[in-house]
Each structure stands twice: as structure tokens, then as C-alpha cells.
């Protein structure tokens, strides 16, 4: 443990000047407050500061600094590596700071640092506006965006960070700064993929896009048809307009109305196609997939915010995720991808996913992060219940990555992975970008206080 044992009297002193709530292991609901999305993360902080104001954030940082306590920052709590918790330290919990304000005339939205994408999308929906967000509603806006921000709308609107207009930040020293194209521009560059390495984001402003119509097709086949479906899907996405997004995945057939009984609880191949446009347009584009006779399907117009909530993964499972970005996707790669699905833990909520990049994603080459010219991401997203399955689930994800290496770019989208070592962090930025990020880190966090998310060490 870094730092020292926090005395109850000092906690009471923090509480006396706090607008939010200060929680310790002595409180009856500590475990509930401490709980995060990944049940494998068991870190126990000494103090959880549930901040209600920016002043609370600064007070909590000062408290930790004076006692040499390690610090973690919590928004949505979805970091698979557990970046939002720290053993023996202090967690700055932003969940009470979750307001979202929309300016429909300017087509912008401003989110507090603890807002989730559910908060954000629901605020934008009445105005027919949206921007690229996470693939589930419970993910934090700040964490996803600062790490890049992949989502269903990215092929048309770019990543979440590509739509970032400004960020208000509290540095490790307690200084409030604003980063934008015209103010602290180096820091603004670093926040387009550099994660939580530079401070605590208290407010983020985004560019919004008109989204008057949105539709989806969710289709399901038995797993033994997966390879044939994958080939059709690959060819469809190579020619698809930027309005089309989604992904192909192997998954456990869920107990939903559209799923035939014989597929429930079994390994299946699924395809989600999202469309910025009406159902009629979507049906025209997915004709080749429909020709393969999916055994379960839903094709419908749907509010974008409803899709985001529909796919929420349940908390409380054990998690292991990884990523391999591909330059190309030949038949041999598809063969290996589909064969490796047999190693998944089934039944479970795990997803053996193939996601298309392309379109507007490629417009963000000026930012740090993965090579935007990459064509596909292979993303094993493991969620399972029993510790006895840990070794099998982790081996499945690692073996899938190894299978894909002949066609891999060598980089990685860091929001898709846990702690895979310092070399993978550098690969996530590229060596030159990493060195620039180190120099910026030295300016805003020279003591490396914010070191929990794929750490960039100060130059």
C-alpha cells in the first residue's frame, strides 16, 4: 500500500468541508459504492469521495496529496482493468456530477464528468441530435471519450473524441484549466485518446449531428452457419456507405422473443447492422444477409437512445477484453476467427466480435491513438460468472489475438483492453505520439498522480 492508514478524524475533517459524501469501509454500503462493472476487480480504497462539485474534487485531491495516497477517478466504472479503483488509496467518484445540457441551435452538448452515455443520449434524443458514444448506456462519457470513443455512429460521425470541442480539467495540483483548439492546444490534442492521464475531466463539450431517423437489423443464425454469414458480412461492409455500422459476433443465444427456442443458451452467430436512415433504406442494404435466412431477426426503426440501452451488459460478471486491429480480412482470417469462437464460455454474455472501422474514423489521423486506416477490429469481450472459468476465458481471448496476428497492424485501441503491459500502451499511440504525450504529461502531472489508465509516464 502506498501512503498511510487514514485516521477517522481526518476523514471527518474532509466530510466537514465536502458538499458530496465521503464513504469509507466503516459505512454499511461501502461494498455497494465500491462495486464496479468487472467483478474480477477487488481493490479496496480507504476513502471514496463522492463529489458533488468541482470544489469537492479539489478538496479530495488535496486530501490525497497531503497523505501520499494513490488516486483513482471513477465515472461509469467500466474500465476492464479497474482503473476506477485503487487499493488503499482514494477514489474520486464523479457519479453525482452527471448533468447534460444541450444547445440545439448550436448543435452542441455539454456533459459533466460523471455523466453516462445514457444521460447524454436521452438529453439529445428530443432534439433529433446525437454524437458517437459508447455501445451501451452505462459507460461513462468522459472515460470513453478521452480514450478515443468507438461507437455505432463512428463510420459517419467519427469517434467521440473527434467531436470534442473543449474539456474542463482539474490537474493533480488542483488547478482548473480548459483545453480546446484555441486554448492549451497541446493538452487538447492529448485528450483525444490519452485517457485519464492528465487530470480529471469535469466538463466536456461535443459537436452534435442531426439524427432524425435511425434503424437496426439484429439477425441470428446457428453457430455452424457463422463462417458463411461472416463472408457475406465482410463483403457487405466493404461496399457499405458510411451510414451503416454495427458488427458480427458469436454469442450465447439470449432468451428474447425474436430468438427461436432451439438457439437460446447455445452458441450463435449474430449480426447487428445500424443505419442512419429509415428501415426501408436498411432493408435495401442488407439483402445479402437476409438471403442467408437468419433464424431470428428484428428489423425496425428505433430511437438511437433506445438501442444504446437495449444492449447494456449486466454488471457483476468477471471480465477480460482484448483487441487486435487488422489491415485486411482474407478468408483464412475469417476461418480462424470463426473456429476460435468454439472456445468461448457458453452460456455467458461473452461476445466474440468483429467490428468494422472505416468511413469517418479515418479522418482522425491527427490525434494520438490507433492507426485510423485500419479496416477491422477483432474484439474478444469476455464476461462470465464462475472463477473456475477464468483460465479458459482468458486463454480464448489471447488465442484469438494470436490467430489474427498475421493480418494485424500492430497497434491497439486501448479502450478495448485491460492491462496488457507497457509495450501495448506504446503500441496504442505509436512511439512518436507516446513521446509527445510524455512531454505533455510532465507539464500537467509531473508526479504521475493519474497513473491508473494505460499509464503515460512523464518525460
Amino acid at each position: 500500500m502506498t501512503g498511510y492508514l487514514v485516521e477517522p478524524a481526518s476523514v471527518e475533517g474532509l466530510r466537514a468541508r465536502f458538499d458530496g459524501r465521503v464513504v469509507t469501509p466503516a459505512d454499511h454500503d461501502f461494498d455497494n459504492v465500491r462495486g464496479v462493472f468487472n467483478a474480477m476487480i477487488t481493490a479496496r480504497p480507504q476513502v471514496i469521495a463522492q463529489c458533488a462539485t468541482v470544489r469537492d474534487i479539489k478538496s479530495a485531491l488535496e486530501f490525497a496529496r497531503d497523505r501520499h495516497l494513490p488516486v483513482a477517478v471513477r465515472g461509469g466504472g467500466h474500465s476492464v482493468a479497474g482503473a476506477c479503483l485503487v487499493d488503499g488509496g482514494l477514489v474520486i467518484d464523479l457519479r453525482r456530477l452527471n448533468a447534460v445540457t444541450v444547445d440545439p441551435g448550436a448543435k452542441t452538448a455539454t456533459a459533466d464528468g460523471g455523466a453516462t452515455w445514457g444521460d447524454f443520449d436521452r438529453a439529445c434524443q428530443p432534439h433529433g441530435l446525437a454524437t458517437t458514444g459508447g455501445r451501451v448506456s452505462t459507460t461513462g462519457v468522459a472515460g470513453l471519450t478521452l480514450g478515443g470513443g468507438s461507437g455505432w455512429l463512428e463510420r459517419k460521425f467519427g469517434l467521440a473524441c473527434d467531436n470534442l470541442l473543449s474539456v474542463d480539467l482539474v490537474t493533480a495540483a488542483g488547478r482548473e484549466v480548459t483545453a480546446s483548439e484555441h486554448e492549451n492546444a497541446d493538452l487538447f490534442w492529448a485528450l483525444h485518446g490519452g485517457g485519464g492521464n492528465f487530470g480529471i475531466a469535469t466538463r466536456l463539450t461535443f459537436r452534435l449531428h442531426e439524427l432524425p431517423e435511425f434503424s437496426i437489423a439484429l439477425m441470428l443464425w446457428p453457430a455452424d452457419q457463422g463462417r458463411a454469414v461472416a463472408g457475406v458480412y465482410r463483403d457487405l461492409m466493404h461496399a457499405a456507405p458510411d451510414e451503416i455500422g454495427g458488427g458480427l459476433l458469436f454469442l450465447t443465444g439470449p432468451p428474447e422473443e425474436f430468438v427461436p427456442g432451439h438457439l437460446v443458451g447455445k452458441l450463435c452467430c449474430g449480426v447487428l447492422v445500424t443505419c442512419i436512415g429509415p428501415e426501408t433504406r436498411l432493408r435495401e442494404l442488407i439483402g445479402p444477409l437476409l438471403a442467408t435466412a437468419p433464424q431470428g431477426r428484428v428489423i425496425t426503426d428505433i430511437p438511437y437512445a433506445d438501442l444504446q440501452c437495449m444492449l447494456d451488459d449486466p454488471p457483476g460478471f468477471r471480465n477480460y477484453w482484448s483487441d487486435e486491429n487488422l489491415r485486411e480480412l482474407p478468408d483464412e482470417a475469417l476461418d480462424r476467427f470463426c473456429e476460435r469462437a468454439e472456445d468461448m464460455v457458453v452460456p455467458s454474455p461473452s461476445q466474440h466480435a468483429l467490428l468494422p472501422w472505416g468511413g469517418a474514423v479515418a479522418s482522425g489521423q491527427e490525434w494520438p491513438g490507433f492507426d485510423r486506416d485500419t479496416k477491422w477490429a477483432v474484439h474478444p469481450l469476455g464476461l462470465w460468472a464462475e472463477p473456475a472459468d477464468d483460465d479458459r476465458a482468458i486463454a480464448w481471448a489471447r488465442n484469438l489475438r494470436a490467430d489474427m496476428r498475421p493480418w494485424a497492424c500492430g497497434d491497439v485501441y486501448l479502450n478495448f483492453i485491460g492491462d496488457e503491459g507497457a509495450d501495448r500502451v506504446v503500441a496504442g499511440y505509436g512511439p512518436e505520439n507516446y513521446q509527445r504525450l510524455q512531454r505533455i504529461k510532465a507539464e500537467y502531472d509531473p508526479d504521475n498522480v493519474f497513473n491508473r489508465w494505460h499509464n503515460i509516464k512523464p518525460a
Side-chain angles (χ1 to χ4, degrees), residues 304-379:
Y304 170 69
D306 288 0
L307 168 67
Q308 295 295 77
C309 297
M310 187 175 78
L311 300 175
D312 286 355
D313 293 317
F317 283 89
R318 304 172 75 78
N319 281 243
Y320 186 89
W321 313 344
S322 196
D323 170 53
E324 201 68 56
N325 290 337
L326 309 184
R327 292 190 182 89
E328 54 184 342
L329 189 61
D331 286 346
E332 186 181 353
L334 277 184
D335 292 342
R336 295 192 192 182
F337 174 82
C338 295
E339 289 165 3
R340 186 61 69 182
E342 296 291 340
D343 294 343
M344 287 173 59
V345 175
V346 176
S348 81
S350 293
Q351 298 175 12
H352 185 91
L354 177 66
L355 302 172
W357 298 114
V361 173
S363 67
Q365 293 288 12
E366 69 270 25
W367 308 121
F370 69 94
D371 181 357
R372 298 291 195 94
D373 285 332
T374 190
K375 298 298 189 293
W376 295 90
V378 170
H379 180 31

Side-chain angles (χ1 to χ4, degrees), residues 191-406:
L191 297 176
H192 286 70
N197 275 288
F198 305 95
I200 301 173
T202 60
R203 185 167 294 176
L204 303 94
T205 299
F206 295 87
R207 178 188 305 108
L208 300 178
H209 306 270
E210 294 184 4
L211 191 66
E213 294 181 292
F214 188 74
S215 56
I216 63 166
L218 183 58
M219 295 161 282
L220 209 63
W221 298 260
D224 60 10
Q225 291 181 235
R227 174 59 183 87
V229 171
V232 173
Y233 177 73
R234 173 196 58 190
D235 296 344
L236 183 148
M237 290 308 301
H238 278 164
D242 296 349
E243 288 79 10
I244 297 297
L248 178 143
L249 58 156
F250 286 85
L251 73 166
T252 301
E256 300 290 345
E257 185 176 340
F258 79 98
V259 180
H262 67 280
L263 294 184
V264 173
K266 305 298 183 182
L267 182 65
C268 298
C269 175
V271 170
L272 171 66
V273 181
T274 62
C275 178
I276 299 173
E279 175 193 343
T280 52
R281 170 66 170 152
L282 175 59
R283 285 183 180 273
E284 292 174 3
L285 292 166
I286 62 170
L289 285 169
L290 294 177
T292 66
Q295 295 186 17
R297 69 185 193 184
V298 174
I299 306 173
T300 184
D301 294 309
I302 185 174
Y304 170 69
D306 288 0
L307 168 67
Q308 295 295 77
C309 297
M310 187 175 78
L311 300 175
D312 286 355
D313 293 317
F317 283 89
R318 304 172 75 78
N319 281 243
Y320 186 89
W321 313 344
S322 196
D323 170 53
E324 201 68 56
N325 290 337
L326 309 184
R327 292 190 182 89
E328 54 184 342
L329 189 61
D331 286 346
E332 186 181 353
L334 277 184
D335 292 342
R336 295 192 192 182
F337 174 82
C338 295
E339 289 165 3
R340 186 61 69 182
E342 296 291 340
D343 294 343
M344 287 173 59
V345 175
V346 176
S348 81
S350 293
Q351 298 175 12
H352 185 91
L354 177 66
L355 302 172
W357 298 114
V361 173
S363 67
Q365 293 288 12
E366 69 270 25
W367 308 121
F370 69 94
D371 181 357
R372 298 291 195 94
D373 285 332
T374 190
K375 298 298 189 293
W376 295 90
V378 170
H379 180 31
L381 182 76
L383 298 91
W384 65 97
E386 299 300 329
D389 288 323
D390 286 2
D391 289 346
R392 176 183 167 190
I394 293 170
W396 152 68
R398 291 176 175 172
N399 289 337
L400 178 58
R401 273 195 60 214
D403 288 345
M404 295 297 106
R405 283 198 189 115

Side-chain angles (χ1 to χ4, degrees), residues 70-71 172 196-198 434 441-442 444-458:
V71 170
N197 275 288
F198 305 95
Y434 183 76
K441 174 86 167 187
Y444 290 94
D445 183 17
D447 297 323
N448 203 18
V449 171
F450 302 114
N451 58 34
R452 303 285 298 151
W453 189 91
H454 301 302
N455 187 219
I456 297 166
K457 296 181 179 179

Side-chain angles (χ1 to χ4, degrees), residues 62-137:
E62 181 183 13
F63 182 89
R65 185 167 58 247
D66 290 349
R67 290 157 183 80
H68 306 288
L69 297 174
V71 170
V73 181
R74 174 171 184 157
H78 268 257
S79 164
V80 67
C84 48
L85 288 178
V86 59
D87 254 331
L90 181 142
V91 172
I92 295 176
D93 186 338
L94 302 180
R95 283 177 287 178
R96 295 186 176 201
L97 290 162
N98 65 349
V100 178
T101 304
V102 179
D103 184 338
K107 293 183 182 177
T108 62
T110 298
D112 285 351
T116 65
W117 285 104
D119 300 322
F120 190 98
D121 296 331
R122 289 298 180 193
C124 295
Q125 186 77 53
H127 307 286
L129 298 170
T131 201
T132 305
R135 290 182 170 87
V136 296
S137 69

